Amino acid sequence: MVGLLTTGNIPKGGFICEYAGEILTRNEASRRINLNEQNLGMNYILVMNEQREEGNSTNITIIDPSKKGNIGRYLNHSCDPNCEIRSVRVDCPIPKIAIFAKRDISAGEELCFHYNGGQIEKQPKFEGKTCLCGAVNCAGFMPFNNLLF
Ligand SMILES: C[S@@+](CC[C@H](N)C(=O)[O-])C[C@H]1O[C@@H](n2cnc3c(N)ncnc32)[C@H](O)[C@@H]1O
């Protein structure tokens, strides 16, 4: 399995890279994920779910870097991550998804973030997908965002 390691030290809060890719509708994301599951492929689709300040509504951004993307696609999931994702808006209501260091990171460490932003939802369908992060607090399974299933 491919992952991304840093060759230099990165300070806490440091910008690492964008999680760049195609922006998908929910229907298209579901279609691609289901197809991917059938082909036993890796899933690169990321869902950013932001709670709006006013009301109960949420803002959902779905990125697929599998065909058009950047190095951000190689960050693996960890249950004890050293990076985190945040939405960044620059003159556009559609956010960019940016990856930042959650703590000081030393050269040689693998960069990883929590694929569901720390909110693990255990669903029987995906309990079989084992998490290999190796963290002491590893949940044992990969998290996923149930919006697309
Ligand atoms: C965004 S890609 C990360 C890069 C990927 N490892 C690769 O080789 O291209 C996400 C996929 O990597 C694998 N993956 C990432 N983190 C993992 C983990 N902690 N345990 C098991 N598989 C993981 C899963 O197959 C997941 O669908």
Side-chain angles (χ1 to χ4, degrees):
M1 180 169 74
V2 176
L4 188 67
L5 276 68
T6 174
T7 54
N9 298 331
I10 306 171
K12 180 178 178 177
F15 171 68
I16 291 166
C17 66
E18 182 182 344
Y19 195 89
E22 290 178 85
I23 295 170
L24 304 184
T25 61
R26 222 191 272 201
N27 282 348
E28 177 59 10
S30 294
R31 190 189 71 78
R32 290 190 190 186
I33 283 178
N34 286 327
L35 200 63
N36 208 36
E37 289 282 320
Q38 285 164 24
N39 298 332
L40 301 176
M42 292 200 187
N43 175 41
Y44 290 90
I45 295 177
L46 182 144
V47 181
M48 169 61 91
N49 199 349
E50 298 169 282
Q51 200 76 37
R52 287 208 188 103
E53 281 176 20
E54 57 304 331
N56 282 334
S57 56
T58 52
N59 199 51
I60 294 164
T61 308
I62 308 172
I63 310 277
D64 183 2
S66 46
K67 294 192 185 95
K68 295 171 189 168
N70 68 348
I71 199 169
R73 61 182 271 178
Y74 294 115
L75 272 83
N76 285 320
H77 160 82
S78 172
C79 298
D80 183 20
N82 53 13
C83 300
E84 61 190 359
I85 53 168
R86 287 189 225 148
S87 53
V88 177
R89 288 181 170 78
V90 183
D91 298 331
C92 180
I94 301 171
K96 304 271 189 197
I97 307 302
I99 302 168
F100 293 90
K102 209 174 166 212
R103 59 164 171 78
D104 289 339
I105 303 173
S106 304
E109 280 191 68
E110 181 179 353
L111 302 175
C112 45
F113 65 94
H114 195 291
Y115 280 7
N116 206 21
Q119 295 171 348
I120 297 171
E121 297 174 46
K122 202 167 183 173
Q123 296 282 336
K125 187 181 171 196
F126 289 89
E127 276 179 10
K129 202 159 185 180
T130 307
C131 178
L132 303 173
C133 78
V136 175
N137 66 334
C138 179
F141 58 90
M142 295 285 289
F144 73 99
N145 193 308
N146 65 6
L147 281 167
L148 303 179
F149 297 93

